[in-house]
């Protein structure tokens, strides 16, 4: 249909002006509506060419509702108008409208073409309408469009998005001329469903076929390496990116940083980070979180302070990393300062941020603040409930943890494996064997959850610490999976507590087979042999360590004073106040001896983290940290110390007396348990 009967008519002249106006675009949606009104007045409201331009600009402005009103008034829309509508609605994520428009088009008798199908198939993939996608696939074949690379790529995405990877792979393999989009579609399909190795292999195959990957493809492959922990493939991709000069792409570079942090290679992550010409908040957050999750809290905080100097406002992911670092260091004041950088409502309305804040407070021993944050959370999802249950368990509030679990059930929030980890840890903390058995059994019987190796580890820990070593060992032997370091380490903890050298020797041999690089297992086994006067075997273990170049991890403790975290090593004399610290230790030693303290060197022989023999028990890192805090803080302040290894038996007894003679509350968190010392007693009730 045309309205241009006479080239010289006023209508034709006006139509040309409108066309020229449409070609130049619009500065506002109001101008577009004004031009559309002129079309209506001039009787050009059914001209498909002009209407197509109106629809296109309207969709680009995001006014899908107005666009639909205009389209519905067109009496005979052609395939170009239908395709414009389908493309625009898909671009605006109006996928239900895309499906509805496609059905209307088919009912009106207009046959789709190769430009129609990609948009409709995209909508089917996003809405997971697989059955409709199958019907469209059969229509594609009937219309002879099954060789079109764009249509087939959309089919690959559909099959992959709906989880039918075999179908996606078959369609992909049948594409005669694959382009970068089709390769990316199949790679994304495999990564989305956890088939990371296949995704990486496909990427290698695409390069052999001469494909030149774009930034999006490289980001997805880097993600596959990160999730699978495939550092070697990640390093190869890094070299590929560098050789082709693609490292300037901020998204590609950030994906490399993320890959290296997930693989635990922080030096390489920092190298990529420092080499970036442009850094956005996402990149900073990735690096900060990488340091925090890889056990480098001080580096995480240093980088955060550097980001502050660059005048970058932290996002929620950067804040999660900072709070995680503060939690690891027990730096409550620093955590409070960092949290003040964001609005309080952001924590209460964002479950991720709120969970990080609860976790930080709990690990710093400030359960009152953790509970207040939990109470103020606007939406309590499963992760939030899990965080507060674990925090309560860690701080010895076992009954309250059980109560929160009951509240969680009343709210209709189904528990998961992490929920039961918190509950089992609470049972272990208080020695509630029967409750632990009940929760463990209810996982599968009541909640249809399959216990993981971590849950078995908790049960072994609970039984072993209660002295039920035979039952704990039998549980290990009956496990449906092979025991790992968590499980054998739990049994070892019970053996140490109840002085079962024979079973401890068995557990340690298992641990050495699993972790041949872990020095503490060799040291403890050697000490057990020495305690039993099996000197030849003890010497053999020491010789094995020397041959393999295994060095013992040095004990290290951190304490926060006035927002600054101080680090102490065993026998440390590098601190500026070292002389006063040791003088304080001498004074404490005299006071403790008057209270009945006598160094228990037997713990040195039967403890994983036995400190070097040449150092006195009084020079352990946690004692130095506590002494420093005592001379540097107000008498009413709580002292919070974090240690990288387990607190030895002698230090546990000594800190109990220090809390008594000084009247101070001392919170110590080691790599195994949380201890709150008040007036000569510990929250763990010596059940550790």
């Amino acid at each position: 249909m045309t309205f241009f009967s006479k080239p010289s008519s006023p209508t034709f002249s006006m139509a040309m002006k409108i066309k020229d106006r449409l070609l130049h675009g619009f500065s506002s949606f109001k101008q577009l509506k004004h031009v559309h009104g002129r079309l209506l007045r001039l009787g050009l409201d059914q001209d498909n060419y002009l209407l197509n331009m109106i629809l296109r600009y309207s969709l680009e402005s995001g006014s899908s509702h107005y666009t639909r009103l205009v389209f519905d008034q067109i009496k005979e829309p052609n395939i170009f108008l239908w395709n414009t509508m389908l493309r625009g609605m898909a671009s605006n994520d109006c996928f239900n409208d895309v499906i509805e428009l496609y059905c209307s088009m088919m009912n009106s008798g207009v046959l789709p073409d190769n430009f129609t199908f990609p948009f409709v198939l995209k909508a089917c993939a996003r809405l997971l309408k697989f059955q409709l996608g199958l019907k469209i696939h059969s229509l594609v074949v009937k219309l002879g469009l099954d060789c079109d690379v764009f249509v087939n790529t959309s089919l690959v995405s559909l099959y992959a998005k709906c989880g039918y990877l075999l179908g996606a792979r078959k369609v992909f393999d049948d594409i005669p001329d694959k382009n970068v989009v089709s390769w990316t579609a199949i790679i994304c399909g495999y990564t989305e469903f956890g088939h990371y190795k296949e995704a990486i292999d496909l990427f290698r195959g695409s390069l052999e076929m001469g494909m030149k990957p774009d930034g999006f493809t490289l980001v997805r492959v880097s993600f596959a390496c990160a999730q699978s922990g495939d550092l070697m493939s990640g390093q190869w991709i890094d070299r590929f990116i560098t050789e082709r000069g693609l490292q300037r792409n901020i998204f590609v570079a950030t994906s490399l940083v993320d890959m290296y942090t997930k693989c635990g290679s922080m030096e390489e992550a920092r190298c990529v980070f420092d080499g970036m010409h442009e850094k956005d908040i996402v990149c900073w957050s990735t690096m900060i979180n990488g340091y925090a999750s890889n056990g480098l809290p001080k580096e995480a905080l240093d980088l955060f302070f550097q980001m502050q100097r660059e005048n970058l406002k932290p996002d929620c992911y950067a804040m999660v990393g900072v709070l995680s670092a503060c939690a690891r260091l027990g730096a409550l004041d620093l955590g409070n300062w960092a949290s003040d950088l964001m609005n309080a409502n952001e924590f209460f309305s964002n479950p991720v941020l709120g969970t990080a804040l609860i976790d930080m407070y709990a690990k710093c021993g400030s359960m009152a603040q953790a509970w207040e944050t939990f109470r103020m959370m606007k939406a309590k999802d499963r992760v939030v409930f899990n965080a507060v249950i674990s925090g309560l368990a860690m701080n010895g509030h076992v009954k309250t943890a059980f109560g929160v679990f009951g509240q969680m059930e009343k709210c209709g929030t189904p528990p998961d494996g992490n929920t039961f980890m918190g509950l089992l840890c609470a049972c272990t903390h208080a020695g509630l064997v029967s409750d632990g058995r009940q929760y463990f059994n209810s996982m599968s019987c009541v909640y249809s959850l399959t216990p993981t190796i971590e849950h078995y580890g908790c049960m072994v820990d609970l039984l072993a610490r209660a002295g039920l070593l035979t039952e704990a060992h039998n549980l290990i032997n009956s496990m449906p999976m092979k025991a790992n370091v968590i499980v054998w380490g739990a049994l070892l903890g019970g053996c140490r507590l109840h002085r079962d050298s024979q079973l401890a020797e068995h557990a340690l041999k298992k641990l050495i087979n699993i972790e041949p690089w872990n020095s503490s297992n060799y040291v403890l086994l050697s000490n057990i042999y020495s305690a039993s006067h099996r000197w030849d075997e003890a010497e053999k273990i020491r010789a094995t360590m020397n041959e393999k170049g295994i060095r013992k991890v040095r004990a290290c403790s951190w304490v926060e004073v006035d927002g600054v975290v101080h680090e102490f090593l065993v026998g440390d004399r590098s601190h500026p106040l070292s002389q006063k610290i040791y003088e304080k230790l001498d004074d404490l030693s005299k006071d403790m001896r008057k209270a009945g303290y006598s160094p228990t060197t037997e713990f040195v022989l039967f403890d994983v983290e036995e400190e070097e023999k040449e150092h006195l028990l009084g020079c352990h890192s946690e004692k130095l940290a506590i002494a420093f805090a005592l001379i540097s803080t107000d008498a009413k302040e709580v002292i919070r110390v974090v240690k990288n290894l387990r607190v030895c038996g002698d230090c546990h007894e000594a800190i109990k007396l220090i809390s008594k003679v000084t009247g101070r509350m001392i919170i110590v968190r080691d790599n195994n348990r949380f201890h709150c010392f008040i007036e000569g007693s510990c929250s763990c009730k010596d059940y550790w």
Side-chain angles (χ1 to χ4, degrees), residues 304-305 308 312-315 318-320 322-323 326 331-348 353 356-357 360-361 369 373 560 563:
F304 179 72
F305 295 142
Q308 289 273 292
L312 277 171
K313 185 183 179 184
D315 63 0
M319 190 56 62
V320 166
V322 171
L323 292 175
C326 292
L332 180 61
D333 292 342
L334 199 55
N336 280 326
W337 169 80
S339 63
D340 287 342
L341 297 175
M342 301 188 78
N343 190 290
N345 287 326
E346 293 186 70
F347 287 97
F348 302 141
L353 269 176
L357 191 59
M360 189 272 294
Y361 283 139
Q369 286 179 285
T373 303
E560 181 192 36

Side-chain angles (χ1 to χ4, degrees), residues 464-499:
R465 292 181 187 281
L468 303 171
L469 296 174
T470 302
E471 185 180 346
H473 194 202
N474 290 338
L475 180 61
I476 294 175
N477 293 331
S478 66
M479 284 168 49
M481 72 283 288
K482 189 176 180 181
N484 64 1
V485 292
I486 296 172
V487 177
W488 288 114
L491 180 63
L492 177 62
C495 293
R496 294 167 61 241
L497 183 62
H498 297 284
R499 299 295 189 269

Side-chain angles (χ1 to χ4, degrees), residues 511-620:
L511 285 167
I512 287 172
N513 286 333
I514 299 171
E515 288 185 327
W517 62 88
N518 191 332
S519 64
S520 61
N521 298 324
Y522 293 92
V523 172
L524 181 52
L525 184 56
S526 174
N527 292 338
I528 289 175
Y529 288 148
S530 298
S532 304
H533 304 291
R534 295 155 69 180
W535 308 115
D536 291 341
E537 291 169 281
E539 180 57 34
K540 186 177 179 182
I541 292 294
R542 297 285 183 176
T544 301
M545 289 182 66
N546 291 331
E547 288 171 10
K548 294 183 177 181
I550 298 170
R551 294 287 178 268
K552 188 179 182 300
V553 177
R554 294 193 71 183
C556 179
S557 295
W558 298 276
V559 63
E560 181 192 36
V561 173
D562 295 331
V564 178
V565 177
H566 298 258
E567 180 180 81
F568 293 90
L569 300 173
V570 57
D572 200 340
R573 292 187 178 274
S574 62
H575 197 278
L577 297 178
S578 184
Q579 184 176 346
K580 291 184 178 180
I581 291 170
Y582 278 92
E583 288 174 358
K584 184 64 178 178
L585 279 177
D586 288 339
D587 293 339
L588 287 171
S589 179
K590 293 173 184 176
D591 292 338
M592 288 190 295
R593 286 181 185 278
K594 289 178 183 177
Y597 168 73
S598 177
T600 48
T601 54
E602 60 177 293
F603 285 110
V604 176
L605 276 180
F606 209 91
D607 219 303
V608 171
E609 57 283 12
E610 177 211 19
E611 314 233 15
E612 298 298 331
K613 299 283 178 67
E614 61 267 21
H615 294 290
L616 295 174
L617 286 166
C619 300
H620 284 197

